[in-house]
């Protein structure tokens, strides 16, 4: 059974919570329709006997006998219902499958029928009647564009006896919750920090070392390795071999990137939902969903390139994810992003979060207030290269009143001025709409310079 919602752009990945099971319901009672029909047939039978009308009595006797026979065959036992992870078919590992968030609804009880009503976030879903032969497992698929902790489905189950003559007590509602991890988008070239760190890595630095391109040709000095002697240059400059010349190279280094997510705002494309009275539609991705996807995409791209990536939250004061590399670091960042959410009124910061020296800071925010812009500007003044990623969705202004449309217009003008001030302070601005990979590639090419520029010798 499938719950109707807008499908995501790419298959999501989720972390399943514990299995939720409903208490068994073992009492079976006659259905209301059978009770009313039996009463009518009994009245008809008694009336036929009292009126000495056998034809009338037979009309009421036959259905009454069938009802009694069906009630005598009603099941005895409890009907249980529970949710469990989907570990079959396209999702053997429970880490994600095409088509949406998946789970399985388990049913166990006597040989009978069961009415299953599935809903999601108080939205109507499937209403089916299934056969339960002692045990039955039903697949449940929920399509979503949201990330983070959310409800997969809620099921209400009621047992139905043979011929619908009896019904069991409805089982308590069972709910399956899960944490949907953000998906990633393929990216092209990425901007690098002004300074590269370390003695190894995927990028060529300015320092002398090994692994990079040619730095220069220099007379041999104590400490130079003999395998680096360039015999052609030596033969040309010193035919008598009085002096040896060696080839020196640039050292390889790595980039340190800190992703900063502004979790204070979680707004959708409809401005009427920003006040909190109305919830965004489930098929609309909010700004925090876009921030999670953008941060996960950049983290995957940098980590696949061999760089180190960390994660911090501007809205909540908690221990950040320190910069690291490898597949486990990507999993750690995606889990932290999925759990990022607004937590009440954020406290005012006296200073921006601390980041490693020479790191590239990428901030994901809606920039609806001055706090995020102020923090980005202070990082830039401290010497870091800062990239501001605008994750505000495209607004829908249709259906707004005149005063609401005016408020949106004023907010848009103020935000544009704020973004222009960031650009004047040498903060590079990227909008996560359309083709962000192209915009990031433009930034990467715009900042091309000699390897390791800004790194002291």
């Amino acid at each position: 059974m499938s719950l109707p919602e807008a499908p995501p752009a790419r298959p999501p990945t989720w972390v399943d919570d514990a299995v939720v099971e409903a208490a068994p319901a073992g009492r079976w009672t006659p259905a209301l329709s059978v009770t009313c029909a039996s009463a009518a047939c009994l009245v008809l039978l008694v009336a036929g006997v009292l009126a000495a009308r056998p034809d009338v009595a037979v009309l009421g006797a036959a259905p009454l006998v069938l009802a009694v026979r069906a009630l005598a065959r009603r099941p005895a036992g409890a009907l249980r219902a529970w949710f469990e992870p989907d570990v079959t078919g396209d999702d053997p590992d429970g880490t994600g499958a095409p088509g949406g968030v998946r789970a399985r609804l388990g049913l166990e009880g006597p040989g009978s029928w069961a009415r299953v009503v599935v809903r999601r976030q108080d939205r109507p879903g499937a209403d089916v009647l299934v056969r339960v032969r002692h045990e039955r497992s039903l697949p449940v698929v929920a399509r979503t564009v949201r990330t983070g902790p959310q409800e997969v489905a809620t099921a209400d189950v009621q047992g139905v006896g043979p011929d619908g003559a009896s019904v069991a007590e409805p089982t308590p509602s069972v709910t399956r919750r899960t944490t949907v991890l953000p998906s990633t988008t393929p990216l092209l070239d990425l901007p690098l920090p002004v300074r590269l760190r370390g003695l190894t890595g995927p990028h060529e630095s300015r320092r002398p070392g090994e692994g990079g391109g040619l730095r220069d040709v220099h007379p041999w000095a104590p400490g130079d390795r003999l395998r680096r002697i360039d015999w052609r240059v030596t033969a040309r400059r010193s035919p008598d071999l009085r002096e040896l010349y060696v080839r020196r190279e640039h050292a390889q280094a790595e980039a340190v990137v800190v992703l900063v997510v502004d979790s204070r705002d979680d707004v959708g494309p409809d401005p009427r939902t920003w006040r909190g009275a109305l919830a965004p539609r489930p098929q609309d991705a909010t700004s925090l969903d876009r921030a999670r996807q953008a941060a996960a995409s950049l983290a995957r791209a940098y980590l696949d390139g061999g760089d180190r990536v960390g994660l911090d939250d501007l809205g909540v004061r908690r221990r950040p994810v320190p910069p690291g590399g490898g597949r486990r670091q990507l999993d750690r960042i995606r889990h932290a992003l999925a759990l990022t959410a607004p937590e009440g009124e954020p406290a005012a910061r006296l200073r921006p979060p601390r980041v490693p020296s020479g790191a590239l800071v990428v901030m994901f925010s809606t920039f609806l207030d001055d706090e995020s812009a102020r923090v980005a500007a202070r990082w830039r003044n401290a010497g870091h290269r800062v990239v501001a990623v605008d994750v505000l969705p495209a607004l829908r202004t249709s259906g707004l009143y005149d005063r609401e449309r005016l408020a949106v217009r004023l907010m848009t003008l103020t935000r544009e001025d704020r973004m222009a001030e960031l650009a004047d302070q040498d903060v590079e601005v990227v909008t996560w709409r359309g083709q962000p990979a192209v915009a990031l590639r433009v930034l990467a090419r715009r900042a091309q310079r000699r390897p390791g520029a800004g790194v002291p010798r």
Side-chain angles (χ1 to χ4, degrees):
M1 59 188 68
S2 178
L3 303 183
E5 256 185 48
R10 295 191 61 182
T13 305
W14 65 89
V15 178
D16 290 304
D17 296 340
V19 175
V20 182
E21 183 175 346
R27 183 180 177 185
W28 293 77
T29 58
L32 179 60
S33 59
V34 175
T35 302
C36 295
S38 300
C41 292
L42 183 60
V43 171
L44 190 61
L45 177 61
V46 173
V49 171
L50 295 179
R53 294 287 303 272
D55 53 343
V56 176
V58 169
L59 291 177
L64 186 60
V65 170
L66 293 177
V68 172
R69 179 175 176 271
L71 290 176
R73 296 170 51 199
R74 60 183 176 182
L79 179 65
R80 298 172 51 245
W82 68 92
F83 270 116
E84 59 186 9
D86 188 358
V87 293
T88 61
D90 298 331
D91 188 27
D93 300 327
T95 58
V101 183
R102 295 174 177 265
R104 299 195 73 86
L105 176 62
L107 304 174
E108 184 180 5
S112 61
W113 297 80
R115 183 191 177 192
V116 181
V117 180
V118 182
R119 64 183 186 274
R120 185 169 188 265
Q121 299 178 355
D122 296 331
R123 293 167 59 89
D127 188 348
V128 295
L129 185 66
V130 297
R131 178 75 174 180
V132 180
R133 297 182 181 274
H134 303 293
E135 189 171 352
R136 182 75 180 270
S137 180
L138 303 175
V140 179
V141 181
R143 295 177 174 85
T144 179
V145 297
R146 297 292 185 83
T147 55
Q150 57 186 272
E151 175 188 339
V152 177
T154 298
D156 298 314
V157 182
Q158 184 178 21
V160 180
D163 301 328
S166 59
V167 293
E169 292 182 356
T171 62
S173 299
V174 289
T175 302
R176 180 72 178 174
R177 300 192 62 85
T178 189
T179 301
V180 181
L181 304 183
S183 59
T184 58
T185 301
L187 300 176
L188 305 175
D189 297 338
L190 298 175
L192 296 176
V194 177
R195 297 184 178 182
L196 299 177
R197 305 180 60 182
L199 301 178
T200 60
H203 309 291
E204 189 176 286
S205 68
R206 193 181 177 186
R207 297 187 302 272
E210 298 183 3
L214 177 64
R215 174 183 173 90
D216 58 13
V217 179
H218 193 270
W220 184 88
D224 291 335
R225 298 184 179 182
L226 296 180
R227 64 182 180 86
R228 293 191 174 275
I229 297 177
D230 193 327
W231 294 107
R232 292 185 178 182
V233 176
T234 300
R236 184 171 61 252
R237 295 187 178 184
S238 180
D240 54 358
L241 300 181
R242 292 183 177 179
E243 192 171 20
L244 301 178
Y245 290 87
V246 296
R247 297 170 57 90
R248 297 195 301 184
E249 300 175 346
H250 290 286
Q252 295 289 101
E254 62 184 2
V256 177
V257 182
V258 177
L259 308 176
V260 181
V261 177
D262 186 2
S263 65
R264 298 174 303 151
D265 298 325
D266 188 12
V267 296
D270 189 354
R272 292 174 296 185
T273 62
W274 292 7
R275 293 176 295 182
L278 298 176
R281 296 190 303 179
Q283 60 268 31
D284 291 337
T286 64
S287 61
L288 195 55
D289 294 327
R290 299 165 64 90
R292 294 189 186 113
Q293 181 192 16
S297 301
L298 286 173
R300 177 183 290 275
Y302 279 112
L303 290 174
D304 289 345
D307 296 318
R308 300 171 60 206
V309 182
L311 177 66
D312 204 346
D313 190 350
L314 189 62
V316 180
R317 295 185 179 180
R318 61 165 59 97
R319 184 177 181 180
V321 179
R327 178 68 183 183
R328 295 179 63 88
Q329 180 71 0
L330 177 60
D331 296 338
R332 191 178 299 113
I333 290 177
R334 293 181 67 193
H335 279 80
L337 286 172
L339 299 178
T340 300
E343 297 183 7
E345 185 68 21
R349 288 183 177 270
L350 300 179
R351 60 182 181 181
R354 299 181 61 181
V355 296
S357 176
L360 169 67
V361 180
V362 185
M363 175 181 288
F364 307 89
S365 176
T366 58
F367 297 99
L368 291 175
D369 58 7
D370 296 329
E371 179 67 17
S372 54
R374 181 183 63 84
V375 172
R378 294 191 62 176
W379 271 324
R380 185 66 190 95
N381 295 334
H384 299 280
R385 185 181 182 184
V386 182
V387 177
V389 180
D390 179 18
V391 294
L392 184 68
L395 302 182
R396 289 197 305 263
T397 57
S398 60
L400 298 180
Y401 295 108
D402 292 339
R403 59 180 182 180
E404 294 174 339
R405 191 175 291 106
L406 178 60
V408 171
R409 178 59 178 166
L410 293 176
M411 180 274 299
T412 302
L413 293 176
T414 304
R415 207 175 72 95
E416 290 177 353
D417 294 341
R418 189 176 296 117
M419 305 296 284
E421 292 178 0
L422 282 178
D424 293 340
Q425 296 176 353
D426 201 18
V427 176
E428 299 160 299
V429 180
V430 175
T431 301
W432 198 263
R433 290 193 298 269
Q435 296 181 342
V438 177
L440 292 173
R441 190 172 192 176
V442 171
L443 291 184
R445 293 184 175 183
R446 182 188 305 170
Q448 282 183 351
R449 60 184 71 180
R450 65 181 185 274
V455 179
R457 293 177 179 271

